[in-house]
Structures are given as C-alpha cells and as structure tokens.
C-alpha cells in the first residue's frame, strides 16, 4: 500500500480523528473538494483518488480517459445471503472485487491494512449464476462486501471506496493481538450505517 492517494488519506484521517488534516483536494487538478465528493479508481496504481465535480464528469463515460481512471459508482445494494464459502476465503469480514481482466480478488481488513487473495474465477462465475445482482457489478470499482463475523449476515454490493473506509475502521479500532473490545462494535456500526442507494 502506498502513502499517496485518496486511500492513504482516508486511512490516515480515519485512524486519527484528533489530527486536523489539510483540506481535501482533487488528485487531478488540485481544486478543493467537498466532504462528499467523487472518487476515481486509478487502474495503473490500483488506488482510489479524489475527484472534483468537473474532473469526475470527464471520466463518467465508458472508455473515458483511455481506461486509466474509472469513476467509482455510488450504488449500494443490500443482498440476501450469498454463500461465499464456495470461494474458499476463510474469513468472515471480506470484500470481493471482480477485475476487468476476469480475475477476482478477495480482501480482508487487518491492523496493517487489507490482506489480499486471488479467488478462483470459475467459482465466482458459478456464484454469480446463483445471484443475478453479482453479474451486474462493475469490474474494479464495485465489490461484494460481506460480514458474517459473530453470526452477522451482511452482504452488500458497494463502491470500492466503501470497502476502503471499512478497512480504515478496523485499522483505527484494532488493539493488541486480538483486536480488543472496540473493533467489532465499530465494524457492526459501519454496517448498520450503510444505506441503499441507486
């Protein structure tokens, strides 16, 4: 994980709310951005970057920017239970990202950031055959976000920046070897605060 880009700033700001960071700016033109602003996925660096309104419009169409930047959508959709056990990822808090090249990655949060695994693409395709919404996901910029820790049953299609916010919550709240008493209530609150949007 690099120290540049929107993801790094998001993790830093979430990890220490007492430090007042300088105002957010567009990573393309350096114009100030509002608290709620668009994000672009940098396919070359595999990072999320902040974008002002005018810059985000430039990348709204398919193929804009020659594919180097992709506008992160805003869609959030709660799903019924999805049997992700067939994907072979042994953790209950994880997000799955289908990629433009047909591969699928799974990432789970840890105190050091996101851990990453490759998922069998054929297994993902079989799972998508049982849940039509998974087939509608935009590669690289949308994820299947799952939390089955402590008996919970959260399954969402979310923009990739929501996944990075969840990773930041875990990093901010984790204490000691086992996580301490604050991390899981904070994760549960994160999921409770998710709202559906088209």
């Amino acid at each position: 994980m690099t120290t540049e880009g929107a993801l790094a700033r998001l993790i830093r700001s979430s990890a220490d709310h007492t430090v007042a960071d300088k105002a957010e700016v567009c990573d393309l033109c350096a114009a100030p951005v509002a608290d709620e602003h668009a994000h672009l996925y940098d396919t070359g660096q595999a990072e999320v970057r902040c974008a002002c309104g005018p810059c985000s419009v430039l990348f709204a169409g398919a193929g804009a920017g020659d594919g180097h930047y992709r506008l992160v959508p805003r869609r959030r959709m709660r799903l019924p239970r999805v049997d992700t056990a067939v994907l072979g990822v042994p953790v209950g808090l994880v997000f799955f990202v289908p990629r433009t090249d047909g591969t699928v990655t799974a990432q789970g949060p840890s105190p050091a950031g996101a851990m990453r695994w490759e998922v069998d693409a054929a297994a993902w395709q079989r799972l998508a055959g049982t849940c039509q919404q998974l087939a509608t996901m935009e590669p690289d910029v949308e994820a299947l976000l799952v939390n089955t820790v402590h008996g919970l049953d959260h399954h969402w299609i979310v923009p990739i920046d929501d996944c990075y916010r969840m990773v930041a919550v875990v990093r901010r709240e984790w204490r000691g070897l086992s996580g301490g008493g604050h991390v899981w209530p904070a994760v549960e609150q994160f999921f409770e605060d998710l709202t559906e949007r088209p």
Side-chain angles (χ1 to χ4, degrees), residues 56-74:
S56 68
V57 169
L58 296 174
F59 299 96
D66 201 26
H68 183 74
Y69 290 110
R70 300 213 29 233
L71 185 64
V72 176
R74 294 185 33 82

Side-chain angles (χ1 to χ4, degrees), residues 44-68:
Q45 299 296 316
E47 290 184 340
V48 174
R49 302 197 181 277
C50 296
C52 66
C55 284
S56 68
V57 169
L58 296 174
F59 299 96
D66 201 26
H68 183 74

Side-chain angles (χ1 to χ4, degrees), residues 6 12 26 35 37-38 60 83 96 100 103 113 115 124 139 141 143 153 155 157 159 161 179 183-184:
R12 279 196 309 272
C26 176
D35 288 342
H37 57 270
D83 184 13
F96 299 91
T100 306
T103 62
M115 302 175 294
W124 173 263
V141 292
D153 197 20
H155 299 80
I157 291 175
D161 50 2
V183 66
W184 297 115

Side-chain angles (χ1 to χ4, degrees), residues 70 73 75 77 79 95-99 104-105 124 128 131-145 156-160 163:
R70 300 213 29 233
R75 173 175 77 149
M77 179 188 307
L79 301 176
F95 57 96
F96 299 91
V97 183
R99 302 292 176 181
V104 180
T105 59
W124 173 263
C131 179
Q132 292 180 338
Q133 295 94 330
L134 296 182
T136 69
M137 290 173 58
E138 289 190 45
D140 298 319
V141 292
E142 287 189 310
L144 169 62
L145 177 60
W156 288 81
I157 291 175
V158 297
I160 194 68
C163 299

